[in-house]
Coordinates of all heavy atoms in Angstrom, one line a residue:
L344 N 212.4 -18.2 19.4 CA 212.4 -17.6 20.7 C 211.5 -16.4 20.8 O 211.0 -16.1 21.8 CB 213.8 -17.2 21.1 CG 214.8 -18.4 21.2 CD1 216.2 -17.9 21.5 CD2 214.4 -19.4 22.2
I345 N 211.4 -15.7 19.7 CA 210.5 -14.5 19.6 C 209.2 -15.0 19.0 O 209.2 -15.5 17.8 CB 211.1 -13.4 18.8 CG1 212.4 -12.9 19.5 CG2 210.1 -12.2 18.6 CD1 213.1 -11.8 18.7
H346 N 208.1 -14.9 19.7 CA 206.8 -15.4 19.1 C 206.3 -14.5 18.0 O 206.3 -13.2 18.2 CB 205.8 -15.4 20.2 CG 204.4 -15.9 19.7 ND1 204.1 -17.1 19.3 CD2 203.3 -15.1 19.5 CE1 202.9 -17.2 18.9 NE2 202.4 -16.0 19.0
K347 N 206.0 -15.1 16.9 CA 205.4 -14.3 15.7 C 204.5 -15.3 15.0 O 204.9 -16.4 14.8 CB 206.6 -13.8 14.9 CG 206.2 -12.8 13.9 CD 207.4 -12.0 13.5 CE 207.1 -10.9 12.6 NZ 206.5 -9.7 13.1
D348 N 203.4 -14.7 14.6 CA 202.4 -15.5 13.8 C 202.5 -15.3 12.3 O 201.8 -16.0 11.5 CB 201.0 -15.3 14.3 CG 200.8 -15.8 15.7 OD1 201.4 -16.8 16.1 OD2 200.0 -15.2 16.5
T349 N 203.2 -14.3 11.9 CA 203.3 -13.9 10.5 C 203.8 -15.0 9.6 O 204.7 -15.7 10.0 CB 204.2 -12.7 10.3 OG1 203.7 -11.6 11.2 CG2 204.2 -12.1 8.9
Q350 N 203.1 -15.2 8.5 CA 203.5 -16.2 7.5 C 204.1 -15.4 6.3 O 203.5 -14.5 5.8 CB 202.4 -17.0 7.0 CG 201.7 -17.8 8.2 CD 202.6 -18.8 8.8 OE1 203.2 -19.7 8.1 NE2 202.9 -18.7 10.1
G351 N 205.3 -15.8 5.9 CA 206.0 -15.1 4.8 C 206.5 -13.7 5.1 O 206.6 -13.3 6.3
K352 N 206.7 -12.9 4.1 CA 207.2 -11.5 4.3 C 208.5 -11.4 5.2 O 208.6 -10.5 6.0 CB 206.1 -10.6 4.8 CG 204.9 -10.6 3.8 CD 203.9 -9.6 4.4 CE 202.5 -10.1 4.1 NZ 201.6 -9.9 5.1
S353 N 209.4 -12.4 5.0 CA 210.5 -12.4 5.9 C 211.7 -11.5 5.3 O 212.5 -11.0 6.1 CB 211.0 -13.8 6.0 OG 212.2 -13.9 6.8
M354 N 211.7 -11.4 4.0 CA 212.8 -10.8 3.3 C 212.4 -9.6 2.5 O 211.5 -9.7 1.7 CB 213.4 -11.8 2.5 CG 214.3 -11.4 1.3 SD 215.8 -10.6 1.8 CE 216.6 -10.8 0.2
P355 N 213.0 -8.4 2.8 CA 214.0 -8.1 3.8 C 213.3 -7.7 5.2 O 212.1 -7.5 5.2 CB 214.7 -6.8 3.3 CG 213.7 -6.2 2.3 CD 212.8 -7.3 1.8
S356 N 214.0 -7.7 6.2 CA 213.5 -7.4 7.5 C 213.1 -5.9 7.6 O 214.0 -5.0 7.4 CB 214.6 -7.7 8.6 OG 214.2 -7.1 9.8
R357 N 211.9 -5.7 7.8 CA 211.4 -4.3 7.9 C 211.8 -3.6 9.2 O 212.0 -2.4 9.2 CB 209.9 -4.3 7.7 CG 209.4 -3.0 7.1 CD 208.0 -3.1 6.6 NE 207.1 -3.8 7.4 CZ 205.8 -4.1 7.1 NH1 205.4 -3.7 5.9 NH2 205.0 -4.7 7.9
H358 N 211.9 -4.4 10.3 CA 212.4 -3.8 11.5 C 213.8 -3.3 11.4 O 214.1 -2.1 11.7 CB 212.3 -4.9 12.7 CG 211.1 -5.1 13.4 ND1 210.1 -5.8 12.8 CD2 210.6 -4.6 14.5 CE1 209.0 -5.8 13.7 NE2 209.3 -5.1 14.7
V359 N 214.6 -4.1 10.8 CA 216.0 -3.7 10.7 C 216.2 -2.6 9.7 O 216.9 -1.6 9.9 CB 216.9 -5.0 10.3 CG1 218.3 -4.5 10.0 CG2 216.9 -6.0 11.4
F360 N 215.5 -2.7 8.6 CA 215.5 -1.6 7.6 C 215.1 -0.3 8.3 O 215.7 0.7 8.1 CB 214.5 -1.9 6.4 CG 214.1 -0.7 5.7 CD1 214.9 -0.1 4.8 CD2 212.9 0.0 6.0 CE1 214.6 1.1 4.1 CE2 212.5 1.2 5.4 CZ 213.4 1.7 4.4
S361 N 214.0 -0.3 9.0 CA 213.5 0.9 9.6 C 214.5 1.6 10.6 O 214.8 2.8 10.5 CB 212.2 0.6 10.4 OG 211.2 0.2 9.6
V362 N 215.2 0.7 11.4 CA 216.2 1.3 12.3 C 217.3 1.9 11.5 O 217.8 3.0 11.8 CB 216.7 0.2 13.2 CG1 217.9 0.8 14.1 CG2 215.6 -0.3 14.1
F363 N 217.8 1.2 10.4 CA 218.9 1.7 9.6 C 218.5 3.0 8.9 O 219.3 3.9 8.8 CB 219.4 0.7 8.7 CG 220.5 -0.2 9.4 CD1 220.1 -1.2 10.2 CD2 221.8 0.1 9.4 CE1 221.0 -2.0 10.9 CE2 222.8 -0.7 10.0 CZ 222.3 -1.8 10.8
V364 N 217.3 3.1 8.3 CA 217.0 4.3 7.6 C 216.8 5.5 8.6 O 217.1 6.6 8.3 CB 215.8 4.1 6.6 CG1 214.4 4.1 7.4 CG2 215.8 5.2 5.5
I365 N 216.3 5.2 9.8 CA 216.1 6.2 10.8 C 217.5 6.6 11.2 O 217.8 7.8 11.4 CB 215.3 5.7 12.0 CG1 213.8 5.6 11.6 CG2 215.4 6.7 13.2 CD1 212.9 4.8 12.5
A366 N 218.4 5.7 11.4 CA 219.8 6.0 11.8 C 220.5 6.9 10.7 O 221.2 7.9 11.0 CB 220.6 4.7 12.0
M367 N 220.2 6.7 9.4 CA 220.8 7.5 8.4 C 220.2 8.9 8.5 O 220.9 9.9 8.2 CB 220.5 6.9 7.0 CG 221.2 5.5 6.8 SD 223.0 5.5 6.9 CE 223.4 6.4 5.5
T368 N 219.0 9.0 8.8 CA 218.3 10.3 9.0 C 219.0 11.1 10.1 O 219.4 12.3 10.0 CB 216.8 10.2 9.2 OG1 216.3 9.4 8.2 CG2 216.1 11.5 9.3
Y369 N 219.2 10.4 11.2 CA 219.9 11.0 12.4 C 221.4 11.3 12.0 O 221.9 12.4 12.5 CB 219.9 10.1 13.6 CG 218.7 10.4 14.5 CD1 217.5 9.8 14.4 CD2 218.9 11.4 15.5 CE1 216.5 10.1 15.3 CE2 217.9 11.7 16.4 CZ 216.7 11.1 16.3 OH 215.7 11.4 17.1
L370 N 222.0 10.5 11.2 CA 223.4 10.8 10.9 C 223.5 12.2 10.2 O 224.5 12.9 10.4 CB 224.0 9.7 9.9 CG 224.6 8.5 10.5 CD1 225.0 7.5 9.5 CD2 225.8 8.8 11.3
W371 N 222.5 12.5 9.4 CA 222.6 13.8 8.7 C 222.4 14.9 9.6 O 223.0 16.0 9.5 CB 221.5 13.8 7.6 CG 221.5 15.0 6.8 CD1 220.7 16.1 7.0 CD2 222.3 15.3 5.7 NE1 220.9 17.0 6.0 CE2 222.0 16.6 5.3 CE3 223.4 14.6 5.1 CZ2 222.6 17.2 4.2 CZ3 224.0 15.3 4.0 CH2 223.6 16.5 3.6
V372 N 221.5 14.8 10.6 CA 221.1 15.9 11.5 C 221.9 15.9 12.8 O 222.4 16.9 13.2 CB 219.6 15.8 11.9 CG1 219.2 16.9 12.8 CG2 218.8 15.8 10.6
M373 N 222.2 14.7 13.4 CA 222.9 14.6 14.6 C 223.8 13.3 14.6 O 223.4 12.3 15.0 CB 221.8 14.4 15.7 CG 222.3 14.7 17.1 SD 220.9 14.5 18.3 CE 219.5 15.4 17.6
P374 N 224.9 13.5 14.0 CA 225.8 12.3 13.7 C 226.0 11.3 14.8 O 226.0 10.1 14.6 CB 227.1 12.9 13.2 CG 226.7 14.3 12.7 CD 225.6 14.7 13.6
W375 N 226.3 11.8 16.0 CA 226.5 10.9 17.2 C 225.3 10.0 17.4 O 225.5 8.8 17.7 CB 227.0 11.7 18.4 CG 225.9 12.5 19.0 CD1 225.6 13.8 18.7 CD2 224.9 12.1 19.9 NE1 224.5 14.2 19.4 CE2 224.1 13.2 20.2 CE3 224.6 10.9 20.6 CZ2 223.0 13.1 21.1 CZ3 223.6 10.8 21.5 CH2 222.7 11.9 21.7
A376 N 224.1 10.6 17.3 CA 222.9 9.8 17.6 C 222.7 8.8 16.4 O 222.3 7.6 16.7 CB 221.7 10.7 17.7
G377 N 223.1 9.1 15.2 CA 223.0 8.2 14.1 C 223.9 7.0 14.3 O 223.5 5.9 14.0

């Protein structure tokens, strides 16, 4: 359903990783935003 031409590099998801590591950064500084 989401168009993507990339071949391979599926694991791990970098989009999801990025959101979670950014969330962890916010948890430290501004917990509610994290």
Side-chain angles (χ1 to χ4, degrees):
L344 298 176
I345 297 173
H346 177 73
K347 193 155 182 78
D348 293 326
T349 305
Q350 300 295 305
K352 299 182 220 144
S353 181
M354 159 66 162
S356 169
R357 206 163 45 186
H358 275 82
V359 173
F360 160 80
S361 296
V362 175
F363 275 82
V364 77
I365 291 167
M367 296 302 288
T368 306
Y369 265 91
L370 272 175
W371 183 262
V372 178
M373 198 179 313
W375 67 268

